[in-house]
Amino acid sequence: MTWSLPGTTVPWDKDGRDKRGNSQVFFRKMDNRPEIFLLKRKVEIMSYPPLAELETRVKRFQEVLRAQGMDGALLLQGADLVYFCGTTQNAHLYIPARGRALFMIRRSIQRVDPALIPAEVVPLRRPEEIPGLLAARGLAVPEVLGMELDVLPVNLFRRYEKIFPGRIVDCSFQIRELRAVKSAYEIGLLKESAAMMDGVFARIPEMLREGMDELELAARLEAAARCAGHMGLIRVRGFNQEFFWGCLLAGPSGGVPSYFDSPLGGPGFTPAFPFGVGRHRLAPGEPVMVDYVGVASGYQVDMTRVFALGYLPEDLLRAHETAINIQNALVAAARPGVTCGELYDLALEMATAAGLAEHFMGCGEQVRFVGHGIGLELNELPVLARGAKDKLQAGMVLAIEPKFIFPGRGAVGIENTFVVRERELERLTRFPDEVVIV
């Protein structure tokens, strides 16, 4: 017996193997029909960024170090290692203001091909060895050393103070500014993540069932995302920024606030993690808000859509339409040179004119932004926030997310990821914005 994967003509045998030899699937009977879950894709060699791409990033940062009067930077944070080296390991990356960088790896040096890294790759047992490794390569111990002080724990900072007798200063903001403007290569990876999530969201209508709880729906959605190539890890910068893939909130769950700095929260299903999906059962006439982060090759996109069973009340539909109108107005206004605060003010003005200001970006505990940068991390620069003076630049990537929260009833709104181009925004996530009624 053979089956075909929905939407394809590829035959599968009873053992779940693509007859072209590419993949395996698992079949599960439900409602007398097979459900197909992709388990193993064709094995491919991992793809590293081009060496020239990484070398350019290092050189740009070295220019910043010189301009800021830093002799070098010692980096440990995972996303920053990926940005400069293409991979994250248990490692230290030293980038001097001039000269070749040094990638010092504790674990696992076997996973790193030195030919793909824009730095000399050496083993490292403990940080106290670093001054000797620098001296052996003719690099002076830095008098002014940059480190990622926004994320470096104090106990580690004290340790490095003993190793480096000079002055340790923060270089995290300079790195985040560099990372805010994406290259053509990075934008290509973002487009891959966006296409993946468009396909995953297109499958949500067939998953919805009256009476199923949020957790079951989330499990189906997340399985589909993993089968489509979702990396699984969502990087969020900062202390205690504990986060899952996003929020799937049905009905009143969408009106529950949380500790996370977002218009959405959700009850969770344990006080140990009071965030996100709960156990509310889907019912007709309630908004099902799906706000998920997609990441296929390290670069993240953010996407929100609203679904409903049967119908949605007119006032919620109007609020959702207002959110779409706000998004479209911001897209029309955004271009290089426009300040982030101007865009937030425009969004708030439109929400107020629609009589929805008290529900805009929260209810009672409202956040004062309507969008944020995104890339290797969820919370990148810039932030479309009240009073923000930062100006948009070509190559920045924005998640624009106007939303309205109604306690006891749920949440509606939209989120899409865009690239700032010279004259307009280019949209990456393309699944339709309107409420999907099933």
Side-chain angles (χ1 to χ4, degrees):
M1 178 182 293
T2 63
W3 304 93
S4 291
L5 189 64
T8 76
T9 57
V10 178
W12 305 77
D13 64 25
K14 64 182 178 64
D15 296 319
R17 182 174 296 279
D18 176 352
K19 289 190 174 180
R20 297 181 306 187
N22 288 342
S23 307
Q24 289 182 335
V25 294
F26 170 73
F27 297 99
R28 179 165 68 104
K29 283 286 189 178
M30 188 170 190
D31 300 330
N32 295 317
R33 61 186 179 85
E35 287 202 350
I36 305 176
F37 296 90
L38 191 62
L39 290 184
K40 187 172 69 176
R41 307 167 89 194
K42 185 174 182 179
V43 176
E44 297 177 356
I45 298 173
M46 290 186 182
S47 177
Y48 272 67
L51 182 58
E53 169 86 11
L54 299 176
E55 289 173 337
T56 297
R57 298 176 189 178
V58 171
K59 289 177 182 176
R60 289 174 60 212
F61 186 46
Q62 288 179 314
E63 292 172 0
V64 172
L65 291 175
R66 294 194 293 270
Q68 295 291 321
M70 301 182 206
D71 300 312
L74 186 65
L75 310 180
L76 289 80
Q77 202 253 8
D80 293 337
L81 296 183
V82 172
Y83 182 72
F84 289 113
C85 291
T87 184
T88 182
Q89 301 291 335
N90 184 341
H92 294 65
L93 173 64
Y94 181 71
I95 300 179
R98 288 182 173 82
R100 192 178 184 198
L102 189 60
F103 197 29
M104 300 163 280
I105 302 175
R106 182 173 179 271
R107 291 180 64 97
S108 168
I109 199 167
Q110 297 179 48
R111 294 291 304 274
V112 176
D113 182 350
L116 303 175
I117 307 297
E120 182 181 354
V121 177
V122 297
L124 179 74
R125 292 176 300 174
R126 49 203 300 269
E128 284 74 11
E129 298 174 353
I130 295 175
L133 291 171
L134 298 182
R137 287 153 181 82
L139 295 170
V141 174
E143 294 183 9
V144 181
L145 176 66
M147 296 193 75
E148 304 141 313
L149 300 187
D150 63 331
V151 293
L152 187 69
V154 172
N155 61 341
L156 287 180
F157 174 75
R158 298 300 184 202
R159 184 175 182 180
Y160 292 111
E161 278 189 316
K162 296 176 181 176
I163 298 172
F164 299 98
R167 184 162 56 98
I168 298 178
V169 299
D170 187 21
C171 66
S172 56
F173 183 74
Q174 288 78 13
I175 294 173
R176 295 181 71 203
E177 280 193 317
L178 279 179
R179 286 177 38 197
V181 178
K182 274 61 174 179
S183 67
Y185 172 78
E186 292 176 287
I187 292 170
L189 296 182
L190 285 157
K191 288 181 177 180
E192 290 180 11
S193 295
M196 175 190 71
M197 292 307 286
D198 284 338
V200 171
F201 272 58
R203 296 191 58 186
I204 293 175
E206 70 188 43
M207 301 177 188
L208 295 173
R209 303 281 188 278
E210 183 177 350
M212 73 188 309
D213 67 21
E214 296 167 338
L215 181 59
E216 181 182 353
L217 178 57
R220 291 170 179 264
L221 169 63
E222 290 153 19
R226 286 295 266 175
C227 291
H230 196 296
M231 188 176 80
L233 172 65
I234 306 300
R235 290 188 167 102
V236 185
R237 197 177 191 100
F239 175 70
N240 264 353
Q241 294 296 303
E242 297 176 332
F243 188 78
F244 191 59
W245 292 10
C247 299
L248 190 156
L249 306 173
S253 292
V256 178
S258 80
Y259 64 87
F260 197 70
D261 192 19
S262 165
L264 297 175
F269 51 90
T270 169
F273 186 47
F275 175 82
V277 60
R279 292 285 192 174
H280 180 76
R281 294 191 176 277
L282 275 59
E286 294 182 338
V288 180
M289 173 162 276
V290 182
D291 181 351
Y292 266 61
V293 180
V295 52
S297 299
Y299 281 79
Q300 303 174 146
V301 296
D302 213 349
M303 184 172 176
T304 299
R305 295 296 185 273
V306 174
F307 302 82
L309 292 170
Y311 71 99
L312 203 60
E314 283 299 320
D315 62 329
L316 296 184
L317 287 172
R318 286 195 299 271
H320 187 82
E321 183 178 355
T322 299
I324 294 175
N325 291 340
I326 291 173
Q327 171 194 257
N328 293 343
L330 297 186
V331 169
R335 56 184 44 82
V338 174
T339 67
C340 295
E342 289 177 65
L343 297 176
Y344 174 81
D345 290 344
L346 174 59
L348 181 58
E349 178 184 330
M350 293 182 66
T352 301
L356 293 167
E358 66 178 299
H359 300 282
F360 183 57
M361 302 305 286
C363 192
E365 296 182 346
Q366 292 165 296
V367 297
R368 303 301 179 186
F369 66 87
V370 71
H372 55 88
I374 190 167
L376 286 171
E377 293 172 311
L378 178 62
N379 53 341
E380 295 198 353
L381 298 176
V383 183
L384 307 186
R386 181 174 64 180
K389 303 300 184 184
D390 304 301
K391 294 182 179 181
L392 297 185
Q393 300 176 49
M396 286 181 166
V397 176
L398 307 173
I400 298 177
E401 55 170 325
K403 293 168 183 160
F404 295 100
I405 313 303
F406 298 87
R409 301 181 67 196
V412 293
I414 193 72
E415 183 168 19
N416 282 298
T417 302
F418 300 86
V419 180
V420 180
R421 298 299 191 183
E422 288 295 343
R423 298 189 179 184
E424 60 185 3
L425 298 192
E426 177 187 356
R427 179 163 160 170
L428 301 185
T429 45
R430 308 195 65 84
F431 187 80
D433 291 344
E434 293 74 23
V435 174
V436 178
I437 304 293
V438 179

